[in-house]
Amino acid sequence: MITSDPQLRARTLVEALPYIRQFHGQIIVIKYGGNVLGDAAASLTELAQDVALMRSVGMRPVIVHGGGPQIDQLADRLGLTPSFVHGLRVTDAAMLEVVRMALLGTVNPAIVTALGCQGAAAVGLSGADSSLAIATRISDELGFVGEIRRVQSQVVTELVESGVIPVVASLGVETSGGLLNVNADSFAASLAVALGAAKLIFLTNVAGLLSEIDDPGSLIARVGVDEMQLLIEGGQIRGGMIPKVAAALGAATGGVERVHLIDGTVPHSLLLELLTDEGVGTMIEGGSR
C-alpha cells in the first residue's frame, strides 16, 4: 500500500474517500484470530494501526478475539493436553481456567496495549461483562463450552458511542454466573448481528475462499449466500474453514450486509479490503436489514 510514486499515493487516497464516507459512523466488527496474532508480532502493530485509522476517520470498530494457539501454549506449560470434538475444545474446569488466563491475561491486554500505542482509546472486556453474551452449555462431553443464546450489547454500544474501541474476548456467561468457552467466530457473528454492524471482517491466516481448494489463484472475491451454500455442498470448503464459514453465513443471513474473510497476515489487509475497489479477500453479500 506504501509507494514512492506520489501520483499513485494520491490515487490511493482518492480511491479510499468514498469508502470512508460510506462507513463513517458505522459499526464494523473485526474478528482477530489467535493464529494471526501468533504468526508475527508485527501483525498486531499493523492491526492496531489500521483500526486506529478507522476510528480516526469516523468508523466505529469493535474487535472480537479468540486465542487458540495461546491457550495451547499455556496448557502445554501447565502439563495439560488439549482435546477437541468436532473442532471445539473440550473444556473441563482446569482447561476453562487456562482459557480464561490466556484470553484475559495475555491476548486481550496485548491488543488493548497495541491500540493505545497508536493513540486509540480501547477497553478490554469479555462476554461475561455486564452479561454481554448469555450462553448455555452445548453438551456434557464438551464441558464448559457454550453457544450464545442472547446478546445484551448495551455495554459495547455505550463504549462505541463514547469513542472507545471495545476489545471483546470470546467468553460467555451462564444465567447462573458461570463462565463458558465460546467459539470466537460464532461469538463475533452473534455480536455483529446484535450491534447492527455494517460489516463483519474475519482476519484469518488464509487468503479467503477458493473455487478450487488446491489452487491459490482461484480466490473468490465476491459471493452470495446461496452460492456459499453450493460451495459447502460441493466440498470446496473443508476442515477448519467450515465453522468459520458457518458463522459468516449466520451473520450474513442475520442482517449483516457484508461479511469478509481475509488474510490478516498480509500487511494492512484490513485497510486494503475496506478502502480499495479490488480488496484482498472474499466478500460475502448478505441480506439487507
Side-chain angles (χ1 to χ4, degrees):
M1 195 169 184
I2 297 174
T3 174
S4 59
D5 182 346
Q7 292 299 319
L8 183 56
R9 293 169 70 179
R11 287 197 297 273
T12 300
L13 292 172
V14 170
E15 183 179 340
L17 183 57
Y19 297 104
I20 291 173
R21 287 174 172 162
Q22 180 180 356
F23 299 116
H24 186 276
Q26 298 294 310
I27 291 177
I28 297 175
V29 176
I30 302 156
K31 190 272 176 172
Y32 188 55
N35 51 0
V36 178
L37 177 61
D39 282 341
S43 68
L44 180 54
T45 299
E46 289 160 359
L47 169 79
Q49 291 170 339
D50 291 0
V51 174
L53 188 149
M54 290 169 60
R55 185 67 197 90
S56 296
V57 298
M59 300 179 197
R60 295 179 167 185
V62 175
I63 297 175
V64 173
H65 70 86
Q70 293 75 23
I71 294 168
D72 288 342
Q73 291 165 13
L74 182 56
D76 183 64
R77 287 168 52 192
L78 296 174
L80 299 175
T81 302
S83 61
F84 297 85
V85 174
H86 303 304
L88 296 176
R89 184 184 302 274
V90 176
T91 307
D92 60 12
M95 187 58 73
L96 180 63
E97 182 62 14
V98 171
V99 170
R100 188 190 66 79
M101 288 190 292
L103 297 189
L104 301 183
T106 300
V107 181
N108 194 279
I111 298 172
V112 170
T113 299
L115 288 165
C117 289
Q118 301 302 322
V123 170
L125 64 158
S126 78
D129 292 302
S130 296
S131 297
L132 168 61
I134 304 296
T136 56
R137 300 187 197 194
I138 294 175
S139 69
D140 292 338
E141 182 182 19
L142 286 168
F144 296 99
V145 175
E147 54 187 357
I148 296 178
R149 296 301 185 188
R150 186 170 75 255
V151 176
Q152 301 178 148
S153 58
Q154 182 178 356
V155 62
V156 174
T157 301
E158 289 176 353
L159 288 170
V160 165
E161 290 179 348
S162 67
V164 174
I165 300 169
V167 180
V168 189
S170 58
L171 291 169
V173 63
E174 296 179 286
T175 55
S176 62
L179 284 180
L180 293 177
N181 183 17
V182 177
N183 176 271
D185 294 326
S186 61
F187 190 110
S190 295
L191 183 58
V193 170
L195 291 171
K199 285 181 179 286
L200 168 60
I201 302 174
F202 290 94
L203 295 179
T204 71
N205 59 352
V206 297
L209 298 179
L210 305 176
S211 59
E212 300 294 335
I213 196 164
D214 297 319
D215 180 7
S218 64
L219 179 69
I220 302 170
R222 185 186 298 251
V223 64
V225 169
D226 292 341
E227 295 170 276
M228 285 287 296
Q229 297 285 8
L230 292 176
L231 287 172
I232 295 172
E233 293 168 7
Q236 283 99 325
I237 299 171
R238 304 176 191 169
M241 285 299 290
I242 292 176
K244 195 174 299 294
V245 167
L249 281 174
T253 56
V256 180
E257 295 180 9
R258 300 289 185 270
V259 182
H260 303 253
L261 300 168
I262 67 174
D263 188 349
T265 66
V266 173
H268 303 293
S269 57
L270 183 56
L271 293 185
L272 290 169
E273 183 71 5
L274 270 174
L275 303 180
T276 66
D277 294 335
E278 292 185 2
V280 294
T282 299
M283 181 174 74
I284 303 164
E285 297 178 298
S288 300
R289 287 186 294 274

